Each structure stands twice: as C-alpha cells, then as structure tokens.
Amino acid sequence: VYDGQSVVSYNYKDGLPNDAIRCLFEDNDNNIWLGYDFSGAVKWNNGDFEHFDSKNGLAGNQIYAINQDKDGNMLFGTDRGLCVYDDNNYKTYNYTDGLGNGSISAIEVDGKNIWIGSGSQPNAGGQVTIGGGLTVFNGKIFKSYDLSTLSGFNPWIACINKIENDNKGNIWIGTMGGLLKYNESRFEIISQNNGLPSNIVRDILIDDNGIWVGTDGGLVNVEDERIKNIVSLENNFGEVLSLSKSKDGIYFIGTGD
C-alpha cells in the first residue's frame, strides 16, 4: 500500500493468503477487494480483512475479475462462472444459464447491464481452450453475442481480457484477437489491419483524451477513428499490460519490462 510517501507491504505473515493477487477493486464503501490466483477473494479495509472462498459460497477460488453492480452487489469473475454476492448470499451463474463457457475474465457494469467476457484457460490436456466470448446480463436474462459472424473474425476474438464503456454509450472490448467497439447496434473490429501494433489487447483506459489501449506491441490512443502510437523517447514500451491514471493527470503504464 503506497500513500504517496511510503510503502507498507502485507502478506501471509499478516494472515493473507500465500498466493498471487490477480486483480484489485475498490467498492462504494472504500473497501479494497483482492482477487487471488487460487485462494478466493479478500475484502480489505485499513488492515482489517475478511476472506471469501468456495467454502463460504464463492463459485470458484480462481478470481480473474471483480466489480460491483448498481445495487451494490459484488460481482466475482471466477474459473467456475459469475458469482453475485449481496453481503449475505451467493448466486452463481455459468454456461447452463447462458454464459459463455470458460473462466470469467472481465466484468463491466453499464447501468443495469453487466457485460461479461470469458477468457482462455488450459484444458485437461494442457492445451488452451479459447474463451466463450461476450455476454450481457440485465439481472434476469443473459444475451450472448456470436462474434464468429463478424467480418474479420478470428477465434482469439472470443478470448476477452478487458471491457470498458465510454461516455458516448460505446462498449470497448480488449481481446486476444483485436479491439472491439460496440455502439448498441453493431460491432467494429480494430486490429493490426487498422494500425494496432498487436492484436493482443491487455488493458483499456478511457478518459477525455480518448481510448488508451495497451497491447503486446505497445501503447496506442484511439480518438475519432484515428489510431496514434504512443512511444517513449528512451525505449519502446513493448508489452503494455496495465494502464491507470492518477487524479492529478499522471498516466501509469505497466509493461512487460
């Protein structure tokens, strides 16, 4: 935890799971949720924490995405489906309910709609199973999109890493096969054919300066249909795995190096 001046580290010695942390999320009550690789989730607040796993009711212990819906329910993307938690009860949804098959790798809340992306995962033989694509959930029913019908489709587009919505009503989806834009009526695929340095999109950040896209080939900015490569004067960014921006306007770019 970095407060601007000093860093304090917490780990298994303090009672946390001895495991890698895949994702972080801050809820409406300023709790920080930690999603672990194999150990479920932890609700954290100033050093006090509560551990959640499959023994408590979570769908699975591999947590790939965390979000919160408009009613304050916590949403967990796991290796065994979507889990909705309302402080008392867990409700799990999976492919039998209409979700795409595979692990839930991305969750984005857009009003009453919850956008859900499925990612790739190893199967029993050690090979990678391509994800189940994109689904939207309105709290009652699931609607899955058949991305294979899109012009320019390749199978890796069904493997989703990130979902974000902008202030114009567009949904942006970062996939292993390019960047998707959905404008409430149709999808558009933005790929290396359009100027992306790589079709593997790891993260998306949206602000007043456009759509910032982190790819395995570097960082780009998408604005008004223009794609601009962002380069460092010192060296190429290479893999851009994570993007964030501070309240005072500083961009932070997490790379493979």
Side-chain angles (χ1 to χ4, degrees), residues 98-114:
L99 267 175
N101 200 5
S103 301
I104 305 300
S105 54
I107 304 171
E108 174 68 1
V109 176
D110 181 25
K112 68 177 182 179
N113 291 324
I114 301 169

Side-chain angles (χ1 to χ4, degrees), residues 3-251:
D3 64 4
Q5 296 181 335
S6 61
V7 175
V8 179
S9 295
Y10 302 88
N11 53 39
Y12 66 95
K13 296 178 182 178
D14 305 287
L16 291 174
N18 187 16
D19 193 10
I21 297 173
R22 279 185 173 267
C23 53
L24 297 169
F25 179 81
E26 183 177 12
D27 69 19
N28 296 335
D29 297 318
N30 303 122
N31 299 303
I32 305 296
W33 291 83
L34 319 176
Y36 282 86
D37 207 4
F38 295 101
S39 303
V42 164
K43 179 182 178 182
W44 170 278
N45 195 317
N46 294 325
D48 296 324
F49 63 87
E50 184 178 359
H51 188 204
F52 301 81
D53 60 17
S54 58
K55 296 177 182 178
N56 306 120
L58 266 181
N61 288 330
Q62 292 176 260
I63 309 297
Y64 301 111
I66 304 174
N67 213 314
Q68 189 172 25
D69 68 17
K70 64 181 182 62
D71 297 319
N73 301 315
M74 296 304 303
L75 310 172
F76 299 98
T78 82
D79 59 319
R80 297 179 179 272
L82 174 71
C83 189
V84 181
Y85 175 62
D86 66 0
D87 278 341
N88 294 301
N89 302 299
Y90 296 88
K91 175 64 177 176
T92 298
Y93 303 93
N94 55 36
Y95 68 94
T96 64
D97 301 290
L99 267 175
N101 200 5
S103 301
I104 305 300
S105 54
I107 304 171
E108 174 68 1
V109 176
D110 181 25
K112 68 177 182 179
N113 291 324
I114 301 169
W115 292 85
I116 303 161
S118 298
S120 62
Q121 62 182 11
N123 59 25
Q127 297 178 331
V128 172
T129 300
I130 295 177
L134 183 67
T135 306
V136 63
F137 179 47
N138 66 4
K140 296 181 180 179
I141 61 173
F142 290 88
K143 176 184 177 181
S144 291
Y145 292 91
D146 183 4
L147 301 178
S148 66
T149 62
L150 303 182
S151 175
F153 171 83
N154 74 68
W156 287 106
I157 287 177
C159 179
I160 294 173
N161 292 325
K162 185 73 173 184
I163 307 173
E164 291 284 342
N165 63 300
D166 64 23
N167 58 12
K168 298 178 182 178
N170 301 308
I171 303 295
W172 296 84
I173 304 111
T175 83
M176 297 291 284
L179 177 68
L180 291 180
K181 176 186 177 182
Y182 179 66
N183 68 358
E184 298 185 349
S185 62
R186 69 182 183 90
F187 286 93
E188 175 186 355
I189 298 177
I190 301 170
S191 66
Q192 286 179 293
N193 295 331
N194 308 100
L196 278 188
S198 168
N199 283 339
I200 300 177
V201 176
R202 301 290 185 180
D203 203 4
I204 300 171
L205 172 68
I206 301 177
D207 65 6
D208 292 339
N209 294 317
I211 315 298
W212 302 87
V213 183
T215 80
D216 272 15
L219 176 66
V220 300
N221 177 268
V222 181
E223 189 173 18
D224 297 328
E225 308 300 326
R226 297 192 305 270
I227 298 176
K228 180 169 64 176
N229 283 276
I230 309 298
V231 298
S232 166
L233 295 179
E234 297 176 356
N235 61 289
N236 183 26
F237 286 124
E239 293 177 310
V240 176
L241 306 176
S242 183
L243 299 169
S244 191
K245 184 181 180 182
S246 66
K247 293 179 180 179
D248 55 352
I250 303 298
Y251 292 92

